[in-house]
Each structure stands twice: as structure tokens, then as C-alpha cells.
Amino acid sequence: MKRNNKTLLAALLLTAATITNAQPDEQTKAGMQRMSCTSIMVGKNASADGSVMTSHTCDSWYRTWMRMVPAHDYKNDTVTAIYEGRMHTQSADDSTKVHLKGTIPQVRHTYRFLDTAYPCLNEKQLAMGETTISGRDTLRNKQGMFMIEELARIALERCSTAREAIRLMGELVKRYGYGDSGECLTIADKQEVWIFEVFGEGPKKIGGVWAAVRIPDDEIAVSANISRIDKLDLSNPDRYMASENVFDVAKRLKLWDGKGDFSFWRAYSGGNYFNEPKNYSVREFYIMNQLAPSAHLCDTVQNLPLSIRPDKKVTAEQVMHLLGSYYEGTPQNLSGRHLIPNPEKAKQGQNAPNGSVSIGSADATTLPDSIVSPFSNPWMRPDEINMYYAMGDSVMKNIRTVSVPWCAYSTVIQLRSWLPDEVGGVAWVALDNPGESPRFPIFSGTTELPAMLGICGQHVDRDDAALWHYRKANRLATVRWGTYRKQLEPLRDYFFEKGQRELPFVEQTWQQLAQHDGKQAQQMLNGYTADFFGATIARWDELARKLWRQTWTGF
């Protein structure tokens, strides 16, 4: 996820205004990584059902409107426009601050695709996740035509496999130039998943440099705003791909001496967002440890493996939960640090003869002295953290969590080779904080989305934008997370489970209908997405009203 300069500046000013002299490094670094994304990749033999998976959390003030762009046929000598600025528009028709970067020749036929801020899935079961890796500031050349979201769009319109998409994007970057900061796309099809990283060539040359590595079928990988690709074995094209200038640019810009072992991340990135010479940080380390604890990964090494074999086969629900995680059960869990005296123990001690009263099978003497405050939550703002710190709570330091409340939307995409493309590819979409929101399905074969998904909710609180129907309940739940999570999390998980439970029914019904009436099959698929989405909206509206009623005495 790219950081918008104005948004980032505002975040940094807020951080600076609320900072105490006790923890400037932690707070400043937290501000630098606020507007960032996470992507988890799963190979087909590492998943529980044989799916290939990629995913994405779009963690910034980017648009939440989405639409299905239909396939289209074009005449010869047609061109297509390449834009910059569509990330902050309010609908598909909004061209405010959208700039034309140039045009390229159009192909005769384009595929249908799901047009999110970072386009993510097409009708051929080709899917993408995204995460900004920034890299060295000296590499960017804004004169390049392509921003990463437009590279992804063109590839989804024209390609049916991950390898085809990587080759096309490489050709476009070479011919027209890459104008964005360092970016990563996690590109999957129904057979394999690749990690693709791209940078500019510096201010003196309009072009680009890139590398891609296929994740082994029995492994998982994580990318979270840090270049992850290390050594390249280009003699093995089944596993590695790169631009033809990948070594020359590093030597020309003196990022590699041309003698020692070449490392892509060391040359083009240099390290993580804490300026450590590492190709990972907290999120990569945490997620990989959750999926492969037996590997006993160490966070003191410079090079964390790009991918690893999980201890158990990974389900789509696990990926959903990991994208919603905040290090619960580890010392990094911010919401577990703020302890208060246990009110139940104090209450029972007051009422009890000799200070002890039976409570069920236990008495007050067995209750813990302290509990986590119900007001403690994993997503505290810097000013909240500083308030606790100023009151003497020295452990209250911010750590960037996997899920964040400023997430615009997120996707977990399953791709399944044994099914027709129309129902084989499915994006599980959540709006707002992925640790709190439900997910609804959009299939490769979906052709129409509910109207509420066509309007961005980032600019104005409006009832016709889907975002706010989730955000209101989520923010209320966050205020007293220790209490309200007991109502929100079971409801969120209900929709996670419902989606996976009902998938076989959708697949079978669509196939039966498609044999006799393609139009009816299409209506069923569109209707299922609309009904599922509508159910999540209704339940979150109900939850918001319920939480409001429970706050009648105040927050």
C-alpha cells in the first residue's frame, strides 16, 4: 500500500504533537508504517482444500468502491488510457484529480475483472494481492507511465496465468516506464502463486527493474511492506524470473559491487522500515510463526526465508483470522498490557465473611488480582498510548498490528483448478478493520455487485456507502473491546464459517443450472453475492444499534 503524502504528513504531525520524550523512536517509526498492507500467499499443496490463495489488506485512505468491469471486444488500432489518481475517487464515474499518464495499444479482447483500488481478480481465476515495499528513494522516477495499480489492471484484463501476467508487466515497465515507489504484487492462478517486486531505475532513466519468485506448492509466504526476495537463480525459470537489467542496474547505481553474492532486497531495498538490515519485521515473523511454529524461526537473523512449509494445511478461514490478528497471546499484544484490579475479587472480598465467598466452584481467593481493562484495545491511537505512558504505564508502546482500523478493504482469494472458472475463483471481501468485519464472496463469474459497493465511504459518512455500515459498529466495539468483542467476534466468525460451509452448494447449483440455462446460473451467482452481502450489512446495522443502547450510561 502506497502512502499518500498528505495523509502520511498528517499522521506524522499527529504523532509529533502527541509524542513524549520517553519513546520517540517507537512512535515515529509507527507513523512511518501506518499506511501499509499485508499479503499472505498459500501454495495449492499447503492449503487444506487444494486452493491456491493470495490476499491483501488495503491499509490506507484509499477508495472502497468496487465494481465488476465486463469483458470487452475492441477494433484494431484502439488505444487504452493509463491513469494516476483513481485511488481516491468516490465512484467509477468520478475523475476528480485523476491524471492521464499516457496511452498504450489495446488488445482485441479483455477479460472481466474485479475493479478494487488495487484490481484483484479476473474471470480466468488470476488474482493479485498488493503491498508497498518502498525501497530506496533514489530509485523512483515519476516520469514512468505505470503506477502499480494500473499494471495490475492491464494484466488482469489481458492474462490468464501468473507467469503470463509477470511477463506482460515486465514488458510494459521496460517500454513505458515505472513511476511508482517500490511495490510487491502477490500473483496467483489456479496452479501456483508468485511474489513479484518492482522498482524504478532512478531519476536518470525511465524504465524499471523487477524480480519474481514462485512460492513452492507446499509452502506459504508473507509480504508486509518490506522487500522479501533474496537470491535469484535465473537458470531455474520454473522458480525465478527477473528483468534483463536486474544485475546491471544494481551495479550502475552502486547498489552492488558485482563481485559478492547478489541479493535483490539488499540491493534495491536495503532493509525494513525500521532501517534494520532485514527483509522482514513483526508481521512477517508473527504470521510465519503462527503457521509453522515447529520451524523455530529467529527474529535476530537478517534474512528470514521467503517461504516456509506450514505445520498443518492452511484453510481460508485461517488466512482471514491472521489478516485480522493483533498478536494476541504474545508479548506484542497491546490490548493485553493494561491491567486493572479485578472488580469481582474486590466485590466478593467486601461481601464475604473472613474475606472469602464461594463463587460457583471457586472462591474469591482463587480469582486473579488483576484483569485486562475492558477499555484496552489492540488499535489504540498514539495519543491514547502517550496518555497511559504519561501516567506511568511504561509498557504502553505502539506496535503495528496485522489488522488496523484504517484498512479500506481486504481480500482473501481462493483459486481452484478442479472447478469451472466462474465459481472456482472467489474473493472473500471485508470493508474496514479485518479484525472486526465479516467477509462476503465475489466470484470470478460474478457480473454485477450491489449498488452500495459502488460508492466510496471514505470522503463522507453516507448510508448508501457500504463502508459505514461496518465501520460504525466496529468503532463502537473498539471503545470497550474487552466487553464488546464477545458480541462482535462470534458474529464475524459466523459469516467466515457460513461462507466456507455454503461454497459446495453454490458450486453445485451453478454447475447444474449452467448446463441448461446460462442466464439463470448467472442470476443465481449474482444473487448469492447480493444476499450474502446484504445479510452482513443487516447484522452489522443491528450490532451498531445494540452497542449504542449498551452505552446509555456513557463510554
Side-chain angles (χ1 to χ4, degrees):
M1 171 61 59
K2 301 186 284 293
R3 295 187 294 268
N4 175 267
N5 290 337
K6 292 182 180 179
T7 305
L8 177 58
L9 178 60
L12 292 176
L13 287 174
L14 173 63
T15 298
T18 60
I19 205 165
T20 69
N21 58 13
Q23 49 175 337
D25 289 342
E26 290 84 354
Q27 293 286 17
T28 302
K29 291 166 184 173
M32 291 297 290
Q33 54 172 317
R34 275 180 68 90
M35 308 304 169
S36 308
C37 306
T38 306
S39 179
I40 301 171
M41 297 148 272
V42 182
K44 62 182 179 181
N45 294 335
S47 69
D49 67 348
S51 299
V52 179
M53 286 185 264
T54 187
S55 58
H56 175 213
T57 61
C58 186
D59 297 337
S60 190
W61 193 257
Y62 286 164
R63 66 171 169 96
T64 59
W65 67 262
M66 58 189 72
R67 62 173 178 167
M68 294 301 300
V69 177
H72 196 81
D73 291 317
Y74 295 91
K75 297 179 179 179
N76 285 329
D77 302 322
T78 303
V79 298
T80 186
I82 306 300
Y83 295 102
E84 180 180 4
R86 293 178 73 243
M87 310 295 285
H88 297 280
T89 51
Q90 298 190 58
S91 66
D93 298 328
D94 182 13
S95 59
T96 306
K97 297 183 179 180
V98 175
H99 306 290
L100 177 67
K101 294 278 287 188
T103 61
I104 64 172
Q106 182 60 286
V107 294
R108 295 296 302 275
H109 179 79
T110 57
Y111 298 129
R112 177 179 60 249
F113 72 97
L114 176 54
D115 183 18
T116 44
Y118 292 90
C120 63
L121 175 67
N122 76 4
E123 64 177 279
K124 296 295 184 180
Q125 294 199 64
L126 176 64
M128 298 187 186
E130 178 274 345
T131 171
T132 297
I133 54 179
S134 296
R136 303 183 188 276
D137 293 339
T138 54
L139 291 172
R140 186 169 184 181
N141 188 326
K142 295 183 179 181
Q143 300 305 310
M145 183 184 296
F146 276 93
M147 306 295 283
I148 194 64
E149 63 271 17
E150 288 290 83
L151 269 182
R153 176 178 69 85
I154 295 298
L156 287 171
E157 284 185 337
R158 302 182 179 191
C159 301
S160 58
T161 68
R163 298 184 192 217
E164 185 182 358
I166 291 167
R167 286 191 290 267
L168 173 62
M169 291 189 295
E171 293 167 2
L172 293 172
V173 164
K174 179 180 179 181
R175 182 171 180 180
Y176 300 102
Y178 179 69
D180 216 333
S181 62
E183 281 281 354
C184 169
L185 294 175
T186 57
I187 309 172
D189 58 34
K190 47 197 173 184
Q191 295 296 337
E192 55 192 25
V193 58
W194 290 69
I195 183 169
F196 167 87
E197 296 180 354
V198 59
F199 300 90
E201 289 189 49
K204 295 184 179 181
K205 184 171 178 57
I206 298 176
V209 60
W210 58 271
V213 180
R214 181 173 64 82
I215 306 305
D217 292 342
D218 60 350
E219 296 189 2
I220 62 94
V222 185
S223 180
N225 309 123
I226 299 166
S227 178
R228 300 279 286 120
I229 296 177
D230 188 28
K231 296 180 181 178
L232 298 173
D233 180 7
L234 298 183
S235 66
N236 180 7
D238 187 55
R239 180 83 193 278
Y240 298 90
M241 300 169 67
S243 55
E244 59 188 20
N245 61 353
V246 67
F247 303 121
D248 294 339
V249 171
K251 287 191 289 186
R252 173 167 57 83
L253 298 179
K254 298 183 179 179
L255 304 176
W256 175 52
D257 61 10
K259 299 177 183 177
D261 289 341
F262 176 80
S263 166
F264 188 81
W265 74 262
R266 291 179 191 275
Y268 293 106
S269 178
N272 63 22
Y273 40 70
F274 288 104
N275 295 321
E276 299 171 321
K278 294 180 176 181
N279 71 339
Y280 66 97
S281 188
V282 182
R283 280 174 284 162
E284 295 92 344
F285 186 77
Y286 172 79
I287 293 171
M288 294 178 81
N289 261 323
Q290 291 296 301
L291 295 177
S294 66
H296 302 294
L297 297 174
C298 176
D299 64 355
T300 60
V301 299
Q302 290 188 342
N303 195 70
L304 196 70
L306 173 60
S307 60
I308 196 166
R309 183 178 299 172
D311 287 2
K312 298 179 180 178
K313 298 295 181 77
V314 180
T315 67
E317 286 182 72
Q318 281 181 282
V319 177
M320 295 174 193
H321 281 289
L322 284 169
L323 290 182
S325 61
Y326 50 83
Y327 317 130
E328 191 167 21
T330 76
Q332 287 75 36
N333 177 20
L334 184 64
S335 66
R337 300 181 189 182
H338 193 196
L339 301 179
I340 60 173
N342 187 344
E344 286 299 318
K345 184 164 187 177
K347 181 171 62 177
Q348 296 298 338
Q350 291 171 2
N351 297 336
N354 304 319
S356 178
V357 163
S358 176
I359 306 174
S361 60
D363 60 40
T365 60
T366 66
L367 294 173
D369 293 334
S370 301
I371 63 169
V372 175
S373 168
F375 285 95
S376 188
N377 74 78
W379 306 292
M380 293 184 192
R381 291 164 53 93
D383 48 357
E384 293 179 87
I385 296 171
N386 281 318
M387 178 183 68
Y388 289 123
Y389 194 92
M391 295 170 65
D393 197 343
S394 61
V395 299
M396 296 298 290
K397 297 181 180 180
N398 183 68
I399 297 176
R400 159 64 204 250
T401 49
V402 181
S403 65
V404 291
W406 55 85
C407 179
Y409 69 93
S410 66
T411 58
V412 175
I413 304 178
Q414 293 179 266
L415 309 163
R416 298 165 301 168
S417 62
W418 62 93
L419 290 167
D421 289 336
E422 288 85 349
V423 290
V426 56
W428 299 100
V429 180
L431 299 178
D432 198 57
N433 188 340
E436 298 178 303
S437 292
R439 291 184 181 272
F440 54 88
I442 300 176
F443 295 86
S444 287
T446 300
T447 61
E448 183 179 330
L449 297 179
M452 291 174 65
L453 287 172
I455 299 171
C456 179
Q458 298 284 38
H459 303 272
V460 180
D461 176 3
R462 46 192 296 181
D463 289 338
D464 57 350
L467 175 68
W468 280 99
H469 291 265
Y470 304 108
R471 180 168 283 173
K472 289 178 180 178
N474 291 349
R475 294 300 177 274
L476 285 170
T478 303
V479 172
R480 291 181 64 90
W481 181 244
T483 300
Y484 294 158
R485 66 180 295 184
K486 298 172 185 177
Q487 300 172 59
L488 182 144
E489 289 181 330
L491 189 56
R492 176 202 65 193
D493 293 349
Y494 164 78
F495 284 105
F496 288 2
E497 295 161 7
K498 170 184 168 69
Q500 294 299 307
R501 184 175 61 249
E502 293 178 355
L503 262 185
F505 163 78
V506 176
E507 297 154 4
Q508 294 167 13
T509 302
W510 182 89
Q511 291 181 83
Q512 290 170 359
L513 291 172
Q515 291 178 357
H516 307 288
D517 190 335
K519 184 177 181 180
Q520 188 178 6
Q522 185 64 71
Q523 290 174 341
M524 186 281 296
L525 202 59
N526 289 345
Y528 182 77
T529 289
D531 289 346
F532 200 114
F533 164 77
T536 67
I537 290 288
R539 296 298 293 274
W540 252 248
D541 283 347
E542 180 184 11
L543 179 62
R545 290 190 292 269
K546 184 177 180 181
L547 295 180
W548 270 120
R549 289 194 297 270
Q550 293 177 31
T551 61
W552 70 275
T553 59
F555 292 112

